[in-house]
Amino acid sequence: MQLLSVMQEYHIGAEPPQEGDCVQERTAPGGVRDSNTEMVHVSRDSSAVPMKPRKATTQPGEDTLNGHLPPGWQSYMSPQGRRYYVNTFTNETTWERPSSMPGTPKSPVTQKNPAASLLTLHVLTVNGYHISGTPVHQLDSGHRSLRKASGEPQTPGSPAAPRRQSKENSLTINCVTFPHPDVMPEQQLLKPSEWSYCDYFWADKKDSQGNNTVSGFEILLQKQLKGKQTQKEMAEFVRERIKIEEEYAKNLSKLSQNSLAAQEEGTLGEAWAQLKKSLADEAEVHLKFSSKLQSEVEKPLLNFRENFKKDMKKCDHHIADLRKQLASRYAAVEKARKALTERQKDLEAKTQQLEVKLSNKTEEEIKKARRKSTQAGDDLMRCVDLYNQAQSKWFEEMVTTTLELERLEVERVEMIRQHLCQYTQLRHETDMFNQSTVELVDQLLRKVDPAKDRELWVKEHKTGDIRPVDMEI
């Protein structure tokens, strides 16, 4: 799974310099250069206003006289019909044709008409978010979703430059940014060869009733808690098995002491006595079996991660806090975006007023509006940067915690498997011991000899071997 960063696109228009204009440059937050000395105007919906400059056509003997312009430079015609040059890399403008080497022009000109220059504004259009730093959790290019900036530069000269709307390559669901399904690049799984928790539980889903939304992490957490519950129920099952064994042993022992058929004599009497004794031996075997079940199966199942539920709650609270922080950052981004739109509209309105009537008061209002618009743009970029940092932190914790839950689940299943194997092993041993208790009974039964028993009994209990005879007269 991936960390999805939101990016900002900038379209910067370059104004034609006035006579004597001294072009200054400053860098706006996020690394965007602005050649206007007062403001950077940031907007999601830039409206077109008059005074659109046109791109200059090549005049014979002019631009072709000394070859092509240096890389990054283009030639335009101002509304007054004068040619000027724009560096599309830095938005630097000059009346003089740049030298053959890339970079700055031969000599910049200085500004003579500040009031008129207020009519030409740089319009910076924000079609999305901006991230000014690298996320803490680095991913390769296949894991990032970028909003691509338009390849065509905005027409320089004034806010009359038309706004270009790029296609959104990402969307936000429950304050988490994902790539748009229509343009989603192929993603590499974090653990491609496994069905790992860290790759498949990033989005939220409806609960079974379809009313509320459940986060992917909560689904994983529910599985862990369900596993803990089933493990507890297994221990209870073994406890019932132990009770049965204990009751069975108790009954066997009681039965072995029964005096029924105690009068049997001879070899059959010996076999019968041994059978009763085997019941007592079998009772002892089952008592040992129940004792081992308790110590080697039931107790480990009950004690395995006694604080598991408490630890899971800590994980849940931690991830939930990060999601709340992410939601808060997203709300701040939307608020800043709304404020930026309002500042832009205010600036455009004041700019249109200045076009109708030039006055010092209007100029001051535009300067003030520019400063507010610049501040709004900076606030938006700062809020987006904080949002991306929060999402990056949430991403890292999600990966770390889901992998830990995965490890705990594997450990739990393996532990249960081992103890159930121990149960079957004890059961086999019990059967072997039970078999051994009746082996002597089998031997004695094979030795039962009715003739010998009769001989022994007769010798012991005989009353005389002289038979009676007839009476004589």
Side-chain angles (χ1 to χ4, degrees):
M1 206 39 189
Q2 64 177 13
L3 174 63
L4 304 169
S5 299
V6 286
M7 300 294 292
Q8 185 177 34
E9 335 180 327
Y10 294 114
H11 292 211
I12 304 178
E15 62 181 76
Q18 304 297 322
E19 272 309 327
D21 213 359
C22 181
V23 180
Q24 300 181 11
E25 293 185 339
R26 76 176 182 89
T27 302
V32 181
R33 305 183 65 85
D34 178 26
S35 56
N36 190 292
T37 59
E38 292 295 332
M39 57 82 74
V40 178
H41 181 206
V42 186
S43 170
R44 287 185 64 84
D45 298 295
S46 300
S47 301
V49 293
M51 296 186 66
K52 177 178 179 181
R54 58 188 175 85
K55 189 169 182 179
T57 55
T58 304
Q59 300 295 329
E62 189 163 356
D63 280 344
T64 58
L65 182 61
N66 297 319
H68 296 292
L69 290 170
W73 287 91
Q74 290 188 7
S75 175
Y76 291 88
M77 296 297 292
S78 70
Q80 292 77 24
R82 184 174 179 183
R83 184 185 301 276
Y84 66 97
Y85 301 91
V86 178
N87 187 321
T88 58
F89 297 142
T90 64
N91 268 12
E92 183 180 356
T93 59
T94 180
W95 295 117
E96 297 187 16
R97 189 181 191 280
S99 61
S100 58
M101 294 300 294
T104 60
K106 295 179 180 178
S107 61
V109 292
T110 58
Q111 179 177 354
K112 290 184 179 180
N113 189 353
S117 67
L118 291 175
L119 293 175
T120 55
L121 306 175
H122 293 275
V123 179
L124 177 62
T125 303
V126 180
N127 291 319
Y129 294 128
H130 167 72
I131 181 170
S132 61
T134 303
V136 179
H137 187 84
Q138 294 291 338
L139 296 173
D140 56 31
S141 59
H143 285 243
R144 298 195 182 105
S145 173
L146 307 180
R147 288 193 172 109
K148 300 179 181 179
S150 173
E152 299 181 13
Q154 201 171 14
T155 307
S158 73
R163 175 175 60 90
R164 298 186 60 86
Q165 181 69 35
S166 66
K167 185 175 182 180
E168 295 289 344
N169 286 356
S170 64
L171 71 162
T172 302
I173 303 175
N174 290 344
C175 303
V176 180
T177 305
F178 297 96
H180 196 285
D182 295 337
V183 293
M184 183 174 64
E186 182 180 356
Q187 295 179 340
Q188 295 295 324
L189 297 177
L190 298 179
K191 299 180 74 174
S193 60
E194 306 175 28
W195 286 87
S196 176
Y197 291 168
C198 68
D199 279 318
Y200 298 99
F201 293 90
W202 293 105
D204 300 340
K205 66 180 296 186
K206 293 287 186 179
D207 60 13
S208 56
Q209 289 75 26
N211 299 325
N212 300 319
T213 300
V214 182
S215 68
F217 181 78
E218 188 174 349
I219 292 175
L220 284 177
L221 202 62
Q222 289 173 357
K223 174 175 174 54
Q224 296 296 312
L225 297 177
K226 184 178 180 181
K228 178 65 176 178
Q229 179 62 27
T230 57
Q231 176 181 317
K232 181 181 178 181
E233 292 174 0
M234 288 180 183
E236 293 174 354
F237 179 90
V238 175
R239 175 72 256 174
E240 292 299 317
R241 182 71 172 90
I242 292 173
K243 289 181 180 180
I244 292 174
E245 288 296 319
E246 291 174 342
E247 187 68 21
Y248 182 57
K250 180 181 177 180
N251 291 334
L252 285 177
S253 179
K254 183 178 179 180
L255 183 60
S256 68
Q257 298 172 9
N258 193 288
S259 59
L260 294 174
Q263 297 82 10
E264 184 64 50
E265 298 174 341
T267 56
L268 182 60
E270 291 180 8
W272 175 250
Q274 183 59 43
L275 186 147
K276 293 192 343 182
K277 183 178 181 300
S278 71
L279 294 182
D281 295 339
E282 186 178 356
E284 184 65 24
V285 170
H286 283 278
L287 280 176
K288 290 181 179 179
F289 175 53
S290 65
S291 177
K292 287 186 176 182
L293 279 181
Q294 184 176 18
S295 61
E296 299 180 18
V297 181
E298 180 200 16
K299 191 174 181 180
L301 287 175
L302 287 174
N303 295 339
F304 185 67
R305 300 194 196 123
E306 286 185 349
N307 299 322
F308 180 78
K309 191 171 184 178
K310 188 180 297 183
D311 294 339
M312 288 301 96
K313 285 185 177 180
K314 290 180 181 179
C315 292
D316 187 21
H317 291 161
H318 181 56
I319 297 296
D321 288 343
L322 291 176
R323 276 297 293 266
K324 289 179 181 178
Q325 183 181 20
L326 186 62
S328 176
R329 298 300 188 193
Y330 179 75
V333 168
E334 293 303 305
K335 182 178 179 180
R337 194 189 309 280
K338 182 178 179 181
L340 179 61
T341 302
E342 293 175 354
R343 295 302 182 189
Q344 179 212 358
K345 291 180 180 178
D346 181 60
L347 179 59
E348 290 177 348
K350 287 181 170 55
T351 302
Q352 292 174 358
Q353 292 176 8
L354 183 62
E355 293 174 3
V356 176
K357 182 179 180 181
L358 293 178
S359 67
N360 292 334
K361 182 179 180 180
T362 307
E363 292 177 15
E364 291 299 324
E365 290 178 350
I366 287 185
K367 289 182 180 180
K368 184 177 179 180
R370 282 184 174 183
R371 287 192 293 270
K372 290 183 178 180
S373 182
T374 300
Q375 182 62 44
D378 292 345
D379 289 344
L380 175 58
M381 287 185 278
R382 178 181 59 83
C383 289
V384 172
D385 187 53
L386 291 175
Y387 168 86
N388 285 327
Q389 291 178 20
Q391 182 167 264
S392 178
K393 179 64 176 176
W394 173 73
F395 173 87
E396 288 184 340
E397 291 300 324
M398 275 287 290
V399 171
T400 302
T401 308
T402 54
L403 288 177
E404 177 63 13
L405 292 181
E406 185 176 292
R407 184 190 68 80
L408 292 175
E409 176 66 7
V410 171
E411 183 180 346
R412 183 189 72 87
V413 172
E414 180 61 22
M415 184 277 300
I416 293 177
R417 187 193 69 82
Q418 290 178 359
H419 285 86
L420 292 183
C421 287
Q422 181 65 12
Y423 167 84
T424 58
Q425 179 64 27
L426 291 174
R427 187 69 181 84
H428 288 315
E429 291 177 0
T430 301
D431 291 341
M432 292 175 61
F433 286 129
N434 285 337
Q435 182 65 30
S436 67
T437 61
V438 297
E439 285 180 358
L440 186 56
V441 177
D442 288 336
Q443 294 175 9
L444 291 175
L445 288 174
R446 285 192 294 270
K447 293 179 180 179
V448 171
D449 186 350
K452 184 177 181 180
D453 288 346
R454 186 171 61 253
E455 176 187 354
L456 293 175
W457 186 85
V458 168
K459 287 180 179 179
E460 182 178 354
H461 297 90
K462 65 182 180 177
T463 59
D465 56 358
I466 298 179
R467 295 181 298 277
V469 295
D470 293 340
M471 182 183 296
E472 295 180 0
I473 301 176

